Amino acid sequence: MRLPVAYLKTFQGPATGVICERERMDKFGRPFLGATVKPKLGLSGKNYGRVVYEGLKGGLDFLKDDENINSQPFMRWKERFLYSMEGVNRAIAAAGETKGHYLNVTAATMEQMYERAEFAKQLGTIIVMIDLVIGYTAIQSMAIWARKNDMILHLHRAGNSTYSRQKIHGMNFRVICKWMRMAGVDHIHAGTVVGKLEGDPLMIRGFYNTLLLPYLEINLPQGIFFEQDWASLRKVTPVASGGIHCGQMHQLLDYLGDDVVLQFGGGTIGHPDGIQAGATANRVALESIVIARNEGRDYVTEGPQILQDAAKTCGPLQTALDLWKDISFNYTSTDTADFVETPTANV
């Protein structure tokens, strides 16, 4: 799709955008770090809040509420919000850094979503979360609310694969990226290249460029078939999550760059020494690779050795590297660019 500038100007675009988010979070020169928590696994509200606290105190910037049906008898949404924000505030006090938890306001009606979002605002959160399944009208309504209330808006792409994973049906995820940038979300899950929610590296780069660049050039290998002037709409921060771990940090930084949230779910919570240790392992791994890159080293080739050197003074990182080693998910990507290069005739 190519969208005319006159049409784009009828949309507000991302409520906050990458640049304002970095200023609000006071995080520069590196990707954001996150983790995913699944309430449906049976956590009580209090135990959920403990997970949030430990992850943030260990060095993460964000934690994510990975749930669509997010108010169940064993943990109602309001209870989870209260305990989560207690964990956020305690972690901020302990670490001296701005941190956040995506309070999931997804619900059955707009009235319920506004109620949850207003309560989240009263509790002092900097970010709320919605799921793609609420629909495009509801997403735009929440984006307008987020801009009015100085809130970062995280979008989980739950349900997209029902219509974006086949070449003969539905639509490409790149189109969803364009629509969501127009609709006004600040974050969207956009693939990892490595990990469980993998993707062809060129196609993933096409998704990221669609979300981040001010102007898109035609790039057939990345699946970008039309140029696109984004008419000064703000950037959307891509989120990489699904089966990634700290041993892949050099690859993630190489493939995805700085403007991304690296979200390790099992790669944080599955750490043998606990959630806080898992978060610390990820933070140390990230900062060691970023420092090596900034020093001009070949951090992609030297990545495993850089991580091993960092682990000598960081027990949690050593444990994580020993546990996950070279674990990877080697799927054949279902999304590749279908184009044929034609020879240029000599004129």
Side-chain angles (χ1 to χ4, degrees):
M1 299 186 72
R2 179 172 54 209
L3 301 153
V5 167
Y7 185 57
L8 283 177
K9 284 299 185 182
T10 66
F11 294 85
Q12 71 163 22
T16 304
V18 175
I19 294 171
C20 292
E21 180 175 350
R22 284 200 178 279
E23 292 173 348
R24 194 170 298 177
M25 292 293 295
D26 195 27
K27 301 291 186 300
F28 303 94
R30 67 164 175 84
F32 297 105
L33 273 181
T36 305
V37 191
K38 296 188 181 291
K40 63 190 171 193
L41 295 181
L43 291 167
S44 67
K46 190 169 187 177
N47 284 334
Y48 185 94
R50 182 73 189 182
V51 173
V52 171
Y53 168 72
E54 290 194 14
L56 295 177
K57 186 172 182 288
L60 302 182
D61 303 309
F62 293 118
L63 268 91
K64 174 192 172 214
D65 181 345
D66 195 30
E67 196 59 270
N68 298 330
I69 305 171
N70 64 346
S71 189
Q72 299 182 63
F74 58 84
M75 181 174 40
R76 293 301 183 191
W77 69 268
K78 187 170 286 189
E79 179 189 27
R80 186 159 76 252
F81 279 24
L82 288 166
Y83 279 117
S84 295
M85 284 309 298
E86 181 183 0
V88 169
N89 292 330
R90 287 178 180 271
I92 290 172
E97 295 181 342
T98 304
K99 295 179 181 291
H101 172 56
Y102 315 154
L103 296 182
N104 193 343
V105 302
T106 299
T109 66
M110 281 308 304
E111 289 75 16
Q112 287 176 299
M113 286 196 284
Y114 283 140
E115 177 191 357
R116 296 182 187 190
E118 289 290 346
F119 187 65
K121 180 187 174 184
Q122 290 172 17
L123 294 178
T125 186
I126 57 171
I127 186 166
V128 294
M129 167 185 164
I130 52 176
D131 287 305
L132 185 66
V133 292
I134 67 175
Y136 300 131
T137 301
I139 290 169
Q140 289 180 91
S141 295
M142 283 307 304
I144 291 168
W145 181 92
R147 177 169 284 197
K148 286 181 178 178
N149 291 276
D150 294 326
M151 196 74 68
I152 301 168
L153 184 62
H154 178 96
L155 176 72
H156 180 208
R157 66 178 186 179
N160 87 94
S161 57
T162 57
Y163 51 84
S164 70
R165 296 286 280 182
Q166 298 183 47
K167 292 185 178 181
I168 58 172
H169 171 73
M171 66 191 76
N172 192 279
F173 183 70
R174 185 172 48 260
V175 176
I176 300 173
C177 289
K178 287 187 177 182
W179 286 350
M180 292 303 103
R181 188 168 178 178
M182 295 159 63
V185 302
D186 294 306
H187 291 185
I188 185 171
H189 294 251
T192 64
V193 182
V194 296
K196 175 166 63 75
L197 300 181
E198 44 51 67
D200 177 73
L202 289 172
M203 295 300 284
I204 296 294
R205 176 45 54 195
F207 300 159
Y208 277 56
N209 286 345
T210 298
L211 296 168
L212 290 168
L213 293 183
Y215 185 90
L216 282 177
E217 302 281 358
I218 294 173
N219 190 321
L220 298 183
Q222 292 182 5
I224 297 171
F225 293 88
F226 303 101
E227 77 277 2
Q228 178 67 59
D229 184 344
W230 278 106
S232 300
L233 257 66
R234 291 172 172 170
K235 304 174 182 179
V236 180
T237 305
V239 180
S241 65
I244 55 177
H245 57 82
C246 58
Q248 301 163 327
M249 197 65 76
H250 53 296
Q251 297 171 298
L252 292 167
L253 196 65
D254 177 45
Y255 283 130
L256 308 179
D258 278 347
D259 288 333
V260 61
V261 183
L262 299 178
Q263 225 162 249
F264 304 83
T268 302
I269 296 165
H271 195 286
D273 298 331
I275 297 159
Q276 189 170 320
T280 300
N282 292 331
R283 180 69 175 266
V284 172
L286 174 62
E287 294 195 354
S288 64
I289 295 295
V290 168
I291 288 171
R293 180 198 64 185
N294 294 349
E295 290 173 346
R297 296 173 62 183
D298 182 0
Y299 69 92
V300 180
T301 304
E302 299 178 38
Q305 188 57 51
I306 293 168
L307 293 173
Q308 284 296 338
D309 291 343
K312 291 176 182 176
T313 54
C314 179
L317 178 55
Q318 186 65 66
T319 301
L321 294 175
D322 289 343
L323 176 63
W324 288 302
K325 293 188 179 71
D326 298 322
I327 288 177
S328 62
F329 298 85
N330 297 315
Y331 301 117
T332 300
S333 178
T334 57
D335 187 13
T336 53
D338 289 333
F339 74 99
V340 178
E341 292 187 9
T342 55
T344 303
N346 294 321
V347 179

